[in-house]
Amino acid sequence: DHILIDGNRIPKDLPAPAQFVIHGDALVTCIAAASIIAKVTRDRIMMALHAEFPVYNFGQHKGYGVAAHCEAIIKHGPCPIHRKSFNP
C-alpha cells in the first residue's frame, strides 16, 4: 500500500507510506479521479444541507466563503455545521 497526496505535505500517523505530489490532480490519474469523487460528494452533501439550512444558500456556493455566505453568517449566526474554529 502507498498513499498519494495532492499537495506539499504529508499528514502524520497515516496507515501506510505516503508521497505528496504538487499539482497531483493534474499529474496523477488516480488523484484526479479521487478529486472529482470528493467534489461531487461534497456538492451533494451541500445540496442536502441547503434543504436543511436554506438561509445560508449552500446549494449556490457549496460552503465556500463568498460574500453572500459570509453575510448570511453575520445575519443569521452560524448553524450547527459551521466550523467554530474558522474565521473568513
Side-chain angles (χ1 to χ4, degrees):
D1 291 340
H2 189 83
I3 301 169
L4 295 174
I5 298 172
D6 183 19
N8 62 2
R9 295 188 189 133
I10 297 174
K12 296 178 183 180
D13 301 323
L14 293 176
Q19 172 186 351
F20 67 79
V21 182
I22 296 172
H23 303 295
D25 57 345
L27 300 172
V28 181
T29 305
C30 63
I31 293 176
S35 178
I36 292 168
I37 292 167
K39 288 174 185 169
V40 169
T41 301
R42 186 229 28 236
D43 289 354
R44 289 177 180 167
I45 291 168
M46 297 312 291
M47 292 302 292
L49 289 169
H50 175 75
E52 190 172 349
F53 304 105
V55 297
Y56 300 99
N57 204 15
F58 292 125
Q60 177 78 29
H61 54 70
K62 309 299 189 280
Y64 286 103
V66 298
H69 185 184
C70 295
E71 290 167 11
I73 294 171
I74 290 167
K75 182 175 180 180
H76 303 286
C79 73
I81 64 105
H82 280 106
R83 292 181 289 171
K84 306 299 186 271
S85 62
F86 181 78
N87 289 321

PDB file of all heavy atoms in Angstrom, residues 27-41:
ATOM      1  N   LEU A  27      -1.523  15.753 -12.504  1.00  0.00           N
ATOM      2  CA  LEU A  27      -0.412  14.898 -12.932  1.00  0.00           C
ATOM      3  C   LEU A  27      -0.645  13.407 -12.749  1.00  0.00           C
ATOM      4  O   LEU A  27      -0.032  12.601 -13.446  1.00  0.00           O
ATOM      5  CB  LEU A  27       0.854  15.294 -12.161  1.00  0.00           C
ATOM      6  CG  LEU A  27       1.333  16.733 -12.339  1.00  0.00           C
ATOM      7  CD1 LEU A  27       2.474  17.032 -11.376  1.00  0.00           C
ATOM      8  CD2 LEU A  27       1.763  16.963 -13.783  1.00  0.00           C
ATOM      9  N   VAL A  28      -1.500  13.034 -11.798  1.00  0.00           N
ATOM     10  CA  VAL A  28      -1.687  11.618 -11.458  1.00  0.00           C
ATOM     11  C   VAL A  28      -3.168  11.265 -11.620  1.00  0.00           C
ATOM     12  O   VAL A  28      -4.028  11.859 -10.964  1.00  0.00           O
ATOM     13  CB  VAL A  28      -1.210  11.337 -10.014  1.00  0.00           C
ATOM     14  CG1 VAL A  28      -1.373   9.871  -9.669  1.00  0.00           C
ATOM     15  CG2 VAL A  28       0.242  11.779  -9.837  1.00  0.00           C
ATOM     16  N   THR A  29      -3.439  10.298 -12.464  1.00  0.00           N
ATOM     17  CA  THR A  29      -4.827   9.949 -12.800  1.00  0.00           C
ATOM     18  C   THR A  29      -5.652   9.571 -11.573  1.00  0.00           C
ATOM     19  O   THR A  29      -6.787  10.018 -11.428  1.00  0.00           O
ATOM     20  CB  THR A  29      -4.854   8.796 -13.823  1.00  0.00           C
ATOM     21  OG1 THR A  29      -4.073   9.166 -14.946  1.00  0.00           O
ATOM     22  CG2 THR A  29      -6.257   8.487 -14.267  1.00  0.00           C
ATOM     23  N   CYS A  30      -5.094   8.757 -10.679  1.00  0.00           N
ATOM     24  CA  CYS A  30      -5.898   8.332  -9.521  1.00  0.00           C
ATOM     25  C   CYS A  30      -6.176   9.498  -8.569  1.00  0.00           C
ATOM     26  O   CYS A  30      -7.245   9.547  -7.956  1.00  0.00           O
ATOM     27  CB  CYS A  30      -5.252   7.156  -8.798  1.00  0.00           C
ATOM     28  SG  CYS A  30      -3.654   7.484  -8.064  1.00  0.00           S
ATOM     29  N   ILE A  31      -5.250  10.453  -8.465  1.00  0.00           N
ATOM     30  CA  ILE A  31      -5.519  11.642  -7.645  1.00  0.00           C
ATOM     31  C   ILE A  31      -6.602  12.481  -8.309  1.00  0.00           C
ATOM     32  O   ILE A  31      -7.510  12.987  -7.629  1.00  0.00           O
ATOM     33  CB  ILE A  31      -4.235  12.471  -7.412  1.00  0.00           C
ATOM     34  CG1 ILE A  31      -3.241  11.689  -6.553  1.00  0.00           C
ATOM     35  CG2 ILE A  31      -4.573  13.805  -6.742  1.00  0.00           C
ATOM     36  CD1 ILE A  31      -1.910  12.395  -6.341  1.00  0.00           C
ATOM     37  N   ALA A  32      -6.546  12.631  -9.626  1.00  0.00           N
ATOM     38  CA  ALA A  32      -7.577  13.389 -10.340  1.00  0.00           C
ATOM     39  C   ALA A  32      -8.950  12.749 -10.143  1.00  0.00           C
ATOM     40  O   ALA A  32      -9.941  13.451  -9.888  1.00  0.00           O
ATOM     41  CB  ALA A  32      -7.230  13.471 -11.824  1.00  0.00           C
ATOM     42  N   ALA A  33      -9.015  11.425 -10.238  1.00  0.00           N
ATOM     43  CA  ALA A  33     -10.296  10.724 -10.056  1.00  0.00           C
ATOM     44  C   ALA A  33     -10.813  10.909  -8.633  1.00  0.00           C
ATOM     45  O   ALA A  33     -12.004  11.187  -8.420  1.00  0.00           O
ATOM     46  CB  ALA A  33     -10.126   9.241 -10.369  1.00  0.00           C
ATOM     47  N   ALA A  34      -9.919  10.782  -7.653  1.00  0.00           N
ATOM     48  CA  ALA A  34     -10.334  10.969  -6.253  1.00  0.00           C
ATOM     49  C   ALA A  34     -10.824  12.393  -6.016  1.00  0.00           C
ATOM     50  O   ALA A  34     -11.789  12.617  -5.277  1.00  0.00           O
ATOM     51  CB  ALA A  34      -9.172  10.640  -5.321  1.00  0.00           C
ATOM     52  N   SER A  35     -10.188  13.361  -6.663  1.00  0.00           N
ATOM     53  CA  SER A  35     -10.595  14.760  -6.528  1.00  0.00           C
ATOM     54  C   SER A  35     -12.004  14.976  -7.067  1.00  0.00           C
ATOM     55  O   SER A  35     -12.820  15.665  -6.446  1.00  0.00           O
ATOM     56  CB  SER A  35      -9.593  15.658  -7.255  1.00  0.00           C
ATOM     57  OG  SER A  35      -9.987  17.007  -7.174  1.00  0.00           O
ATOM     58  N   ILE A  36     -12.299  14.378  -8.204  1.00  0.00           N
ATOM     59  CA  ILE A  36     -13.647  14.505  -8.789  1.00  0.00           C
ATOM     60  C   ILE A  36     -14.684  13.865  -7.876  1.00  0.00           C
ATOM     61  O   ILE A  36     -15.735  14.452  -7.602  1.00  0.00           O
ATOM     62  CB  ILE A  36     -13.682  13.880 -10.193  1.00  0.00           C
ATOM     63  CG1 ILE A  36     -12.832  14.715 -11.156  1.00  0.00           C
ATOM     64  CG2 ILE A  36     -15.120  13.753 -10.700  1.00  0.00           C
ATOM     65  CD1 ILE A  36     -12.552  14.047 -12.479  1.00  0.00           C
ATOM     66  N   ILE A  37     -14.392  12.665  -7.383  1.00  0.00           N
ATOM     67  CA  ILE A  37     -15.326  11.982  -6.482  1.00  0.00           C
ATOM     68  C   ILE A  37     -15.559  12.822  -5.228  1.00  0.00           C
ATOM     69  O   ILE A  37     -16.695  12.986  -4.781  1.00  0.00           O
ATOM     70  CB  ILE A  37     -14.807  10.578  -6.126  1.00  0.00           C
ATOM     71  CG1 ILE A  37     -14.857   9.681  -7.370  1.00  0.00           C
ATOM     72  CG2 ILE A  37     -15.615   9.964  -4.982  1.00  0.00           C
ATOM     73  CD1 ILE A  37     -14.093   8.375  -7.219  1.00  0.00           C
ATOM     74  N   ALA A  38     -14.495  13.374  -4.670  1.00  0.00           N
ATOM     75  CA  ALA A  38     -14.625  14.196  -3.461  1.00  0.00           C
ATOM     76  C   ALA A  38     -15.479  15.439  -3.722  1.00  0.00           C
ATOM     77  O   ALA A  38     -16.336  15.793  -2.905  1.00  0.00           O
ATOM     78  CB  ALA A  38     -13.244  14.594  -2.950  1.00  0.00           C
ATOM     79  N   LYS A  39     -15.269  16.091  -4.850  1.00  0.00           N
ATOM     80  CA  LYS A  39     -16.026  17.309  -5.158  1.00  0.00           C
ATOM     81  C   LYS A  39     -17.497  17.010  -5.402  1.00  0.00           C
ATOM     82  O   LYS A  39     -18.378  17.755  -4.941  1.00  0.00           O
ATOM     83  CB  LYS A  39     -15.402  18.027  -6.351  1.00  0.00           C
ATOM     84  CG  LYS A  39     -14.079  18.671  -5.991  1.00  0.00           C
ATOM     85  CD  LYS A  39     -13.369  19.259  -7.195  1.00  0.00           C
ATOM     86  CE  LYS A  39     -12.000  19.783  -6.767  1.00  0.00           C
ATOM     87  NZ  LYS A  39     -11.151  20.127  -7.876  1.00  0.00           N
ATOM     88  N   VAL A  40     -17.788  15.930  -6.120  1.00  0.00           N
ATOM     89  CA  VAL A  40     -19.185  15.553  -6.362  1.00  0.00           C
ATOM     90  C   VAL A  40     -19.869  15.196  -5.045  1.00  0.00           C
ATOM     91  O   VAL A  40     -21.005  15.607  -4.780  1.00  0.00           O
ATOM     92  CB  VAL A  40     -19.273  14.401  -7.383  1.00  0.00           C
ATOM     93  CG1 VAL A  40     -20.676  13.819  -7.449  1.00  0.00           C
ATOM     94  CG2 VAL A  40     -18.829  14.871  -8.763  1.00  0.00           C
ATOM     95  N   THR A  41     -19.164  14.446  -4.208  1.00  0.00           N
ATOM     96  CA  THR A  41     -19.717  14.079  -2.898  1.00  0.00           C
ATOM     97  C   THR A  41     -19.978  15.317  -2.056  1.00  0.00           C
ATOM     98  O   THR A  41     -21.047  15.470  -1.454  1.00  0.00           O
ATOM     99  CB  THR A  41     -18.768  13.112  -2.169  1.00  0.00           C
ATOM    100  OG1 THR A  41     -18.591  11.942  -2.972  1.00  0.00           O
ATOM    101  CG2 THR A  41     -19.307  12.724  -0.808  1.00  0.00           C
TER     102      THR A  41
END
